[in-house]
Amino acid sequence: MRTFTQEEMEKHICAYLHYIKNQYEDEKIICMLDPQFVCCDVQAQSLTLRFEVKPWMLNVGGTMHGGLIATAFDTTFGTLTHFFSQPHFITTTNLSVTYLEPVFESETFDITVVANRVGRTLAGLSAELRIADHRRRLCDTATATFMILREEFHFPQQ
């Protein structure tokens, strides 16, 4: 695996999120979730994205739908894995979410992902979802495995 700088990581992840959002213009779930870059750490192999719970994301109980929480985890996992596996396409092979507490409408939450291991063909990751307030309440955790494919994915960076 190539060694990257902090600046390269930040630039790549922000450019990737910008590209995805502009490429699909609200047609895809990633655009609807509207992930926002918070921070990353190349040494720790970590990434934090922020999401806001909107009314369309709620289940009948008035809390964020579990499938959308899983999608937010998958989006964050995939963004980090894409960075470390570039220029290759990736795909989720396993995603496990543990739901600990509900996430409510209008709450903003951060998902922090850590790449525990990135090999030539597989990446193993773990994550936490915490409410983005002073208490940083832990609501959910997740783990994932991604496969790094032979096919290459290139996007125009600015």
Side-chain angles (χ1 to χ4, degrees), residues 70-96:
T71 303
F73 272 119
D74 191 45
T75 297
T76 311
F77 281 132
T79 301
L80 183 62
T81 304
H82 182 270
F83 171 73
F84 284 113
S85 65
Q86 62 182 297
H88 298 278
F89 273 102
I90 58 168
T91 188
T92 310
T93 60
N94 184 53
L95 176 65
S96 176

Side-chain angles (χ1 to χ4, degrees), residues 34-38 48-52 108-110 132 136:
D34 192 27
Q36 302 297 314
F37 176 80
V38 175
T48 301
L49 297 182
R50 181 165 286 167
F51 301 84
E52 181 183 344
T108 300
F109 62 88
D110 295 338
R136 304 287 300 159

Side-chain angles (χ1 to χ4, degrees), residues 1-147:
M1 184 171 71
R2 182 179 155 224
T3 304
F4 298 96
T5 67
Q6 181 69 27
E7 182 180 348
E8 287 174 319
M9 184 179 190
E10 290 175 14
K11 182 179 177 184
H12 179 88
I13 289 173
C14 289
Y16 174 74
L17 290 171
H18 179 77
Y19 169 78
I20 294 298
K21 290 179 191 181
N22 288 330
Q23 178 72 17
Y24 298 111
E25 299 175 7
D26 297 331
E27 294 176 7
K28 305 290 184 203
I29 192 71
I30 191 171
C31 299
M32 295 171 68
L33 287 172
D34 192 27
Q36 302 297 314
F37 176 80
V38 175
C39 64
C40 62
D41 186 324
V42 73
Q43 293 298 102
Q45 294 185 290
S46 67
L47 168 66
T48 301
L49 297 182
R50 181 165 286 167
F51 301 84
E52 181 183 344
V53 183
K54 299 175 179 125
W56 70 267
M57 299 174 174
L58 303 179
N59 60 25
V60 295
T63 62
M64 187 170 178
H65 189 283
L68 292 174
I69 290 172
T71 303
F73 272 119
D74 191 45
T75 297
T76 311
F77 281 132
T79 301
L80 183 62
T81 304
H82 182 270
F83 171 73
F84 284 113
S85 65
Q86 62 182 297
H88 298 278
F89 273 102
I90 58 168
T91 188
T92 310
T93 60
N94 184 53
L95 176 65
S96 176
V97 179
T98 302
Y99 301 97
L100 304 171
E101 290 192 24
V103 181
F104 298 99
E105 183 177 0
S106 299
E107 285 187 312
T108 300
F109 62 88
D110 295 338
I111 292 181
T112 300
V113 170
V114 175
N116 301 312
R117 183 182 186 287
V118 180
R120 286 181 326 181
T121 57
L122 293 175
L125 307 104
S126 57
E128 292 185 342
L129 182 158
R130 291 183 178 272
I131 300 303
D133 64 10
H134 68 283
R135 292 186 0 239
R136 304 287 300 159
R137 177 173 52 101
L138 176 64
C139 293
D140 305 300
T141 61
T143 58
T145 304
F146 276 73
M147 181 175 284

